[in-house]
Amino acid sequence: MKKKIIIVGAGAAGMAAAIAAAESGAEVTLLEKNEKTGKKIYITGKGRCNFTNDCDPEQFFRKVVSNPRFLYSSLYGFTNQQMIEFLEGEGIRTKVERGGRAFPMSDHASDVTKALNGRMKKAGVKLLLNTEVTGLLFADLAEPLEQKGKRIEQRVSGVKVREVRWSGTSKGPVSSPVAGSERELAADCVIITTGGLSYPSTGSTGDGYDFAAAAGHSIVPCSPSLVPFETKEPVGDELMGLSLKNVEAAVYDGKKEIFREFGEMMFTHFGVTGPIILSASAYSAKRLRKNPLKLVLDLKPALSEQQLDDRILRDFDGEKNKEFRNSLSHLFPARLAPVMVRRSGIDPYKKVNEVTREERRKLVQVTKNFELTLTGLRGYNEAIVTQGGVSVKEVDPSTMESKLTPGLYFAGEVLDLDAETGGYNLQIAWSTGVLAGKSAAKPENA
């Protein structure tokens, strides 16, 4: 007899779990409170869907910020290469860009969702849209279990749902329950793939944490991750929208370096953003709750201090009678130059042939150490992922099943798992989803 599996949330992890469970012989029902599947997938990678990263396993684990060891079974069970092969097999041509970031060749996230929807349909997954889960159902075990000193007396037996109707408002789409639509759905297993709190407009409103807590699970405090920083200094006044490529960013908590990476960043009206800045946020959230942090940008990382001084000297030699304020156009973008003049402390009207060696050294210092004070993170509306979630200590990493409630599984962002930007977080969703789906579909005595 087929096992009945209910999956809550039709995002990346939910669709991966549905396909894996159905193709393993289970009767699968996928519940989604939105009007369509994969709403968050549509906006990943700026609508292009950076669906994985084409790197080796060792590098992948280095990019996982929270609980990388928990992911060994799932990531080796369904690898990044297998995800690329899956899409190619569904007729979606793929490409790999700088940093190993993998995208559909079309640059359309909708192609990825279309492939997943098509495969679910072929596998016989029953999809119920506009269906909101309001709680879990539990049943007493015939014989209580002992798990590390804890007595387990219940297993999951299904979910409570209601139909919702969506309407547009000035604050965005809102749902309202359809009167009299409440009902119960029975299942042998329930897989929670509701996501976290990031991009709440896509339906990620933290429901899964409530379901997990009702089953006795601990929730690691959550915060936005892969999100821009706010700075104390009003850099946006002069630099808003300015992008810098090939810079190195380091973040310090006091004297302790907590992050360093080379790449691209951008100034905003509130602070800083961009790929390396987003990755830095993953290592900074917990510390920022306690105190501000220091961001140090090396604007010329390819040059040593001596090489940079030699470069400045050559520029000055070619423009001996220019005022210092007009002499940095070869070194910095036009909008950044006045900021660097001010930070150097050199008289802007001084002729460059009068700038002293000591003053040049100061210019080198502020170029190699452009400091900003990080005071906070932007909110969940701008966060790519959520840091925190269901504690992985209470989930079996080899199956994704709850250690506290038999028949209950978790996958994706609802768990306390997160990584840097670059396709790693979506791969975590695919891999944990596939493992949860296959594990839930296994016969009880297997």
Side-chain angles (χ1 to χ4, degrees):
M1 190 171 162
K2 285 186 173 185
K3 284 182 79 174
K4 286 187 176 181
I5 297 173
I6 285 176
I7 301 170
V8 185
M15 288 192 280
I19 293 166
E23 292 183 351
S24 297
E27 181 184 318
V28 179
T29 301
L30 177 59
L31 307 176
E32 172 54 55
K33 66 182 178 183
N34 285 310
E35 76 289 355
K36 63 182 178 182
T37 61
K39 282 193 83 170
K40 193 172 174 185
I41 293 174
Y42 282 102
I43 60 175
T44 59
K46 297 179 180 176
R48 298 171 61 218
C49 191
N50 176 198
F51 67 87
T52 192
N53 194 286
D54 183 29
C55 64
D56 61 58
E58 287 72 24
Q59 182 186 339
F60 196 107
F61 287 114
R62 284 197 298 272
K63 295 292 185 177
V64 178
V65 178
S66 302
N67 304 304
R69 295 171 80 177
F70 177 84
L71 289 165
Y72 284 1
S73 294
S74 56
L75 283 171
Y76 280 115
F78 186 75
T79 66
N80 48 358
Q81 297 304 318
Q82 285 173 287
M83 186 58 201
I84 292 171
E85 289 165 10
F86 168 83
L87 289 178
E88 293 277 354
E90 295 300 309
I92 307 299
R93 294 180 63 203
T94 63
K95 61 181 177 180
V96 176
E97 297 185 358
R98 189 179 62 177
R101 296 163 190 253
F103 295 88
M105 187 73 76
S106 66
D107 285 331
H108 293 148
S110 57
D111 285 352
V112 175
T113 309
K114 199 180 299 178
L116 293 162
N117 284 329
R119 187 68 168 260
M120 285 197 299
K121 191 173 182 180
K122 275 190 276 185
V125 174
K126 183 180 180 182
L127 174 63
L128 297 180
L129 299 172
N130 301 306
T131 304
E132 181 180 27
V133 174
T134 58
L136 300 178
L137 299 173
F138 302 94
D140 292 337
L141 290 168
E143 293 183 23
L145 304 171
E146 289 290 331
Q147 175 79 319
K148 291 188 177 179
K150 287 187 178 180
R151 187 177 171 85
I152 298 173
E153 299 180 337
Q154 288 188 317
R155 65 168 291 121
V156 74
S157 61
V159 297
K160 292 181 281 188
V161 302
R162 65 185 179 188
E163 189 181 338
V164 295
R165 186 179 289 116
W166 290 89
S167 57
T169 71
S170 59
K171 294 182 179 179
V174 295
S175 65
S176 54
V178 175
S181 65
E182 292 86 0
R183 57 194 166 116
E184 296 183 353
L185 300 177
D188 298 307
C189 299
V190 174
I191 305 175
I192 305 296
T193 56
T194 49
L197 292 164
S198 57
Y199 294 135
S201 62
T202 65
S204 296
T205 51
D207 303 352
Y209 304 140
D210 295 333
F211 303 149
H217 280 268
S218 307
I219 309 300
V220 176
C222 296
S223 64
S225 189
L226 303 187
V227 64
F229 284 102
E230 295 178 348
T231 60
K232 178 182 175 183
E233 299 79 5
V235 288
D237 292 353
E238 295 172 283
L239 301 177
M240 184 175 71
L242 176 65
S243 289
L244 298 178
K245 295 181 178 179
N246 306 320
V247 298
E248 187 174 64
V251 178
Y252 294 87
D253 184 358
K255 293 182 179 179
K256 182 178 175 60
E257 181 181 297
I258 60 173
F259 176 85
R260 180 178 292 271
E261 191 168 305
F262 173 88
E264 187 175 345
M265 56 83 62
M266 184 175 78
F267 295 99
T268 67
H269 66 283
F270 53 76
V272 286
T273 189
I276 57 174
I277 299 299
L278 298 184
S279 288
S281 73
Y283 298 90
S284 307
K286 291 173 185 174
R287 295 173 183 271
L288 264 177
R289 289 189 203 128
K290 299 174 185 174
N291 51 262
L293 304 176
K294 182 170 70 175
L295 172 67
V296 180
L297 299 173
D298 183 345
L299 303 178
K300 298 293 176 183
L303 301 177
S304 67
E305 289 192 4
Q306 185 58 55
Q307 288 171 326
L308 180 57
D309 186 46
D310 291 344
R311 160 79 188 275
I312 292 168
L313 201 53
R314 284 198 303 274
D315 288 349
F316 283 1
D317 282 344
E319 303 174 324
K320 289 182 179 179
N321 293 314
K322 264 195 176 180
E323 292 178 347
F324 174 62
R325 65 189 177 123
N326 298 322
S327 68
L328 300 180
S329 58
H330 299 303
L331 202 57
F332 304 113
R335 290 170 61 198
L336 182 58
V339 176
M340 299 307 294
V341 168
R342 192 165 60 252
R343 285 193 168 221
S344 73
I346 301 170
D347 180 355
Y349 298 98
K350 197 172 197 178
K351 294 285 194 288
V352 292
N353 60 359
E354 296 173 1
V355 173
T356 66
R357 182 178 179 183
E358 195 57 43
E359 287 174 324
R360 276 200 332 271
R361 186 176 292 130
K362 176 64 176 172
L363 178 59
V364 167
Q365 283 296 312
V366 296
T367 302
K368 301 287 285 181
N369 298 275
F370 187 100
E371 293 188 10
L372 293 169
T373 307
L374 305 175
T375 55
L377 299 172
R378 300 294 279 179
Y380 286 110
N381 285 334
E382 298 176 47
I384 295 174
V385 296
T386 304
Q387 192 168 82
V390 177
S391 173
V392 297
K393 293 177 183 176
E394 299 163 353
V395 177
D396 185 340
S398 65
T399 62
M400 296 291 136
E401 185 175 18
S402 165
K403 293 179 180 179
L404 308 180
T405 303
L408 181 63
Y409 294 76
F410 299 93
E413 195 181 338
V414 72
L415 289 161
D416 181 22
L417 299 168
D418 65 282
E420 294 182 24
T421 183
Y424 304 101
N425 288 286
L426 264 181
Q427 184 60 46
I428 290 171
W430 311 130
S431 295
T432 56
V434 167
L435 181 56
K438 285 182 176 180
S439 302
K442 281 183 181 176
E444 294 289 346
N445 56 0

